[in-house]
Amino acid sequence: MDIDSDPASPNSKTAGEAASTVQMNLEGSSNTVGKEKDDVAKSMEKLKIEHGEAGASSTNFKRKPVIIIVVGMAGSGKTTFLHRLVCQTQASNIRGYVMNLDPAVMTLPYGANIDIRDTVKYKEVMKQFNLGPNGGILTSLNLFSTKFDEVISVIEKRADQLDYVLVDTPGQIEIFTWSASGAIITEAFASTFPTIITYVVDTPRSANPQTFMSNMLYACSILYKTRLPLVLAFNKTDVAQHQFALEWMEDFEAFHAALDSDHSYTSTLTRSLSLALEEFYKNLRSVGVSAVSGAGMEAFFKAIEASAEEYMETYKADLDKRRAEKQRLEEERRRENMEKLRKDVEKSRGETVVLSTGLKDGEAGGKAMMDEEDEDEEEDEYEPFTEEEDVIDEDEDEEVARFSF
């Protein structure tokens, strides 16, 4: 018994050592995998922290200054009206900041703190891109909007020293209101400061009911396009008073009475539109101003202050809601990308991964297909004749011989 048991003990000892070695290797590999997972998790958390800090720094909003963007049809007196606003701010000790966004204007009656003409040369843009006047203005505005974050940063630095920022737009209204650059500029302002749109109306020309309705429709489209408070400024009241326009907006029967002499299709359409816009008129602020005499400036600034309060109560809440929805979608997309990155890192374990573009496989597959086509062509060329074909050929020879002379 002793002789048999002695040789068995070394074998059992060797098996135990091997088992312990395997267990140690498994523990070491599990520790390595666990360490790699911890490193991946730490790197993911670091990226999340950095992203959160970047998102928090981009949500700065200031109650001052109030941005006033002046838009209107060509010839309505936008630049002259802005000149009167500048004079009013200087006379009333109101701290204002002036910006010109019209690259085609030759001279300005006021001094602009920020002028697009200092950055973009309108005529050079026309020559370089072979554009006409409207295309040159639009392209110049697009080029300027690519650096508009710098304009916002300049105004942010002086925000505590300003009450209003007055913005003059190009003469062609559609270039600013219906272009991508106009939307970029408007949204950049609205996301940082209280922003008001001022639509300048040519009062003498609006005495025609059809022209008046066209202006109201354009004002309504701007309101729903920008989603910002809108103030109607009936300009040139020194030539024609704007009471008729206020009466038409408050009483649709008076507007229908002005259309009684016209029985065309346009008058019928105008009557229908006046009924549809009745609710739009109730929530719209309108003032009569004169850019030449300065009449109505105090009423205009009161309307601007009321619109700024409305912006903080209503429009900013809608803006924050849209911004939160956008951030939520971006957060979901970022989370999906981070999860995909984490899985890829765990799968590769930090090793270098060679990405396959599929070009070599495609070339090899193309060569194989070409070789198969060549083989098929060779088989078609050297296909052997069968006995059935020989019999058919003999029958054809007999028929030919039968009809031969």
Side-chain angles (χ1 to χ4, degrees):
M1 292 294 293
D2 295 338
I3 297 173
D4 293 335
S5 61
D6 289 338
S9 59
N11 293 334
S12 61
K13 184 178 181 182
T14 305
E17 291 177 355
S20 61
T21 304
V22 171
Q23 185 176 1
M24 290 175 63
N25 292 333
L26 291 174
E27 291 177 356
S29 61
S30 62
N31 292 333
T32 305
V33 173
K35 186 178 181 181
E36 290 177 355
K37 288 184 178 180
D38 293 339
D39 295 338
V40 171
K42 290 180 181 179
S43 61
M44 297 294 116
E45 291 295 331
K46 186 177 181 182
L47 290 174
K48 288 181 181 179
I49 293 172
E50 291 176 354
H51 180 79
E53 291 176 353
S57 62
S58 62
T59 57
N60 296 326
F61 187 85
K62 299 181 182 297
R63 296 182 63 91
K64 286 288 186 178
V66 177
I67 311 296
I68 303 176
I69 302 178
V70 181
V71 299
M73 296 290 184
S76 59
K78 296 187 298 297
T79 303
T80 310
F81 174 69
L82 196 70
H83 178 221
R84 176 54 60 182
L85 291 179
V86 173
C87 294
Q88 181 71 19
T89 55
Q90 293 176 353
S92 304
N93 292 326
I94 299 175
R95 300 171 299 177
Y97 203 71
V98 186
M99 183 185 305
N100 173 47
L101 295 180
D102 190 355
V105 66
M106 298 300 295
T107 58
L108 288 175
Y110 54 83
N113 300 102
I114 298 177
D115 197 339
I116 188 176
R117 298 177 300 171
D118 298 335
T119 306
V120 183
K121 303 300 180 183
Y122 165 67
K123 293 184 177 180
E124 293 296 328
V125 170
M126 290 178 60
K127 290 179 181 178
Q128 183 174 354
F129 296 98
N130 194 19
L131 299 171
N134 289 341
I137 295 174
L138 180 60
T139 305
S140 300
L141 202 61
N142 291 340
L143 294 174
F144 187 74
S145 64
T146 58
K147 299 292 184 180
F148 204 74
D149 56 333
E150 299 179 7
V151 176
I152 297 295
S153 63
V154 169
I155 299 176
E156 282 182 335
K157 292 178 181 178
R158 302 186 180 186
D160 298 334
Q161 306 172 4
L162 301 175
D163 295 322
Y164 296 100
V165 175
L166 310 175
V167 183
D168 193 9
T169 57
Q172 289 75 6
I173 184 173
E174 67 278 359
I175 290 179
F176 184 81
T177 56
W178 295 103
S179 65
S181 55
I184 291 171
I185 292 172
T186 304
E187 291 176 2
F189 274 136
S191 62
T192 315
F193 309 102
T195 305
I196 315 297
I197 305 294
T198 300
Y199 182 69
V200 181
V201 181
D202 191 341
T203 306
R205 290 183 59 83
S206 297
N208 185 359
Q210 280 81 8
T211 306
F212 171 80
M213 183 54 61
S214 299
N215 273 298
M216 294 301 103
L217 288 175
Y218 217 111
C220 183
S221 66
I222 292 174
L223 175 65
Y224 287 102
K225 177 74 167 54
T226 59
R227 300 184 183 183
L228 294 173
L230 181 70
V231 175
L232 283 181
F234 288 96
N235 195 17
K236 305 179 183 180
T237 54
D238 55 322
V239 178
Q241 293 296 321
H242 70 293
Q243 275 72 21
F244 71 92
L246 298 179
E247 184 181 1
W248 287 352
M249 294 169 64
E250 295 172 357
D251 187 5
F252 67 90
E253 292 182 355
F255 183 72
H256 288 186
L259 291 169
D260 287 341
S261 59
D262 190 0
H263 301 283
S264 62
Y265 168 75
T266 56
S267 65
T268 305
L269 177 62
T270 305
R271 285 188 179 91
S272 302
L273 291 174
S274 66
L275 295 175
L277 293 179
E278 184 179 5
E279 192 68 24
F280 168 70
Y281 294 148
K282 291 180 180 179
N283 302 317
L284 192 64
R285 293 182 176 85
S286 57
V287 293
V289 297
S290 174
V292 176
S293 63
M297 288 293 113
E298 294 182 0
F300 173 77
F301 278 104
K302 289 181 180 179
I304 291 295
E305 289 296 331
S307 298
E309 293 296 329
E310 182 184 0
Y311 174 89
M312 298 301 299
E313 294 175 0
T314 307
Y315 289 86
K316 187 177 183 298
D318 180 65
L319 179 64
D320 293 340
K321 184 178 179 181
R322 284 183 285 151
R323 181 186 295 165
E325 180 66 17
K326 183 179 179 181
Q327 289 181 353
R328 185 185 66 81
L329 295 176
E330 290 181 354
E331 182 67 20
E332 290 181 356
R333 181 180 57 83
R334 187 182 66 84
R335 192 180 296 110
E336 291 177 359
N337 294 335
M338 296 294 290
E339 183 65 20
K340 189 183 298 183
L341 176 61
R342 184 184 64 80
K343 291 181 179 178
D344 292 341
V345 171
E346 290 181 355
K347 186 176 180 181
S348 63
R349 295 184 179 180
E351 298 178 356
T352 303
V353 179
V354 179
L355 298 178
S356 176
T357 59
L359 295 178
K360 294 183 178 180
D361 298 337
E363 292 176 358
K367 289 181 180 180
M369 292 177 63
M370 292 176 64
D371 294 339
E372 290 179 359
E373 291 177 357
D374 294 339
E375 291 177 358
D376 293 338
E377 291 177 358
E378 290 177 358
E379 290 177 357
D380 293 338
E381 291 177 359
Y382 301 104
E383 186 176 357
F385 293 101
T386 61
E387 295 179 356
E388 295 178 357
E389 292 178 352
D390 293 340
V391 174
I392 293 172
D393 293 340
E394 291 177 358
D395 294 339
E396 290 178 355
D397 294 340
E398 291 177 359
E399 292 179 358
V400 173
R402 187 182 303 169
F403 290 100
S404 61
F405 294 99

